[in-house]
């Protein structure tokens, strides 16, 4: 069952403005607020993992509908949510793009897997595509496949720790 909240008017405008001020989408901004309110780190990790799965499902639907710019951001969201889960679990900062890079580099070094870095590059291209719409369907497909490879590596990393 899908649950949905619709926010309109002055509150929606304020959320959008506050999110833009932080360089986030409204969904990212609200997620951060909710996560800050959840005191149990295990509950935060669980929610990040659930969000990752939701983003993947939504991305697939959007891609099937031909909405690749929106699908791009959902694939990115799946990766970011996994990085947030890892950050929570390991006690690492995971609030900014810089934090994500630090996490990815730590994982690549720890696992002796430099491919993680180039896979993350593709995930970032998908994120940028949401804002700039520069990927062709062919370019999107290649980056999406790399992003899904990264998702699998991150899931494995989480499962092993």
């Amino acid at each position: 069952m899908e649950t949905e909240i619709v926010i309109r008017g002055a509150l929606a405008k304020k959320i959008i403005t506050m999110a833009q001020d932080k360089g986030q989408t409204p969904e990212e901004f609200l997620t951060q607020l909710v996560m800050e309110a959840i005191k149990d780190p295990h509950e935060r990790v669980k929610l990040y993992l659930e969000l990752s799965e939701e983003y993947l499902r939504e991305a697939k639907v959007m891609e099937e509908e031909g909405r690749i710019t929106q699908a791009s951001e959902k694939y990115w969201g799946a990766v970011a949510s996994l990085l947030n889960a890892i950050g929570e679990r390991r006690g690492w900062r995971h609030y900014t793009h810089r934090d994500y890079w630090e996490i990815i580099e730590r994982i690549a070094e720890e696992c002796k897997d430099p491919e993680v870095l180039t896979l993350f590059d593709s995930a970032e291209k998908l994120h940028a595509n949401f804002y700039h719409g520069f990927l062709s369907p062919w370019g999107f497909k290649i980056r999406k496949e790399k992003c899904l490879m990264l998702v699998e590596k991150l899931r494995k990393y989480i499962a092993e720790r």
Side-chain angles (χ1 to χ4, degrees):
M1 180 179 90
E2 185 157 329
T3 306
E4 189 173 296
I5 296 175
V6 176
I7 301 172
R8 295 185 176 92
L11 181 58
K13 287 179 187 175
K14 186 63 175 176
I15 291 168
I16 291 166
T17 300
M18 291 174 77
Q20 288 172 339
D21 289 347
K22 291 182 164 242
Q24 298 174 321
T25 65
E27 190 173 51
E28 290 168 334
F29 176 73
L30 291 173
T31 299
Q32 185 177 350
L33 288 177
V34 169
M35 291 300 181
E36 289 170 3
I38 297 172
K39 300 304 178 203
D40 179 4
H42 297 292
E43 189 177 343
R44 286 193 300 268
V45 168
K46 182 179 178 216
L47 184 53
Y48 280 130
L49 295 174
E50 290 172 2
L51 285 170
S52 180
E53 294 304 314
E54 284 180 21
Y55 290 143
L56 289 173
R57 284 191 300 274
E58 291 171 5
K60 186 175 180 185
V61 170
M62 290 174 173
E63 182 181 358
E64 289 169 355
E65 295 171 347
R67 299 167 50 208
I68 65 171
T69 55
Q70 292 84 359
S72 294
E73 186 69 356
K74 294 298 180 174
Y75 283 117
W76 164 256
V79 168
S81 293
L82 290 172
L83 294 174
N84 286 326
I86 291 166
E88 276 294 326
R89 202 173 262 175
R90 300 294 303 265
W92 298 339
R93 287 185 47 81
H94 57 93
Y95 310 106
T96 67
H97 238 75
R98 180 185 179 100
D99 296 338
Y100 291 155
W101 263 109
E102 289 178 8
I103 291 170
I104 280 293
E105 288 192 359
R106 287 172 112 166
I107 291 169
E109 187 174 351
E110 187 179 316
C111 297
K112 297 176 182 28
D113 184 0
E115 183 184 35
V116 169
L117 299 175
T118 58
L119 296 175
F120 187 69
D121 291 344
S122 288
E124 276 197 317
K125 283 280 193 254
L126 291 174
H127 182 51
N129 188 55
F130 174 71
Y131 294 100
H132 306 292
F134 59 87
L135 289 177
S136 68
W138 182 78
F140 165 81
K141 183 179 178 203
I142 291 168
R143 271 47 172 241
K144 174 199 80 169
E145 289 169 1
K146 300 285 187 190
C147 183
L148 292 175
M149 289 171 63
L150 178 60
V151 165
E152 287 309 310
K153 285 180 182 269
L154 295 176
R155 284 176 175 162
K156 182 179 177 190
Y157 181 87
I158 290 168
E160 292 175 349
R161 283 155 184 83

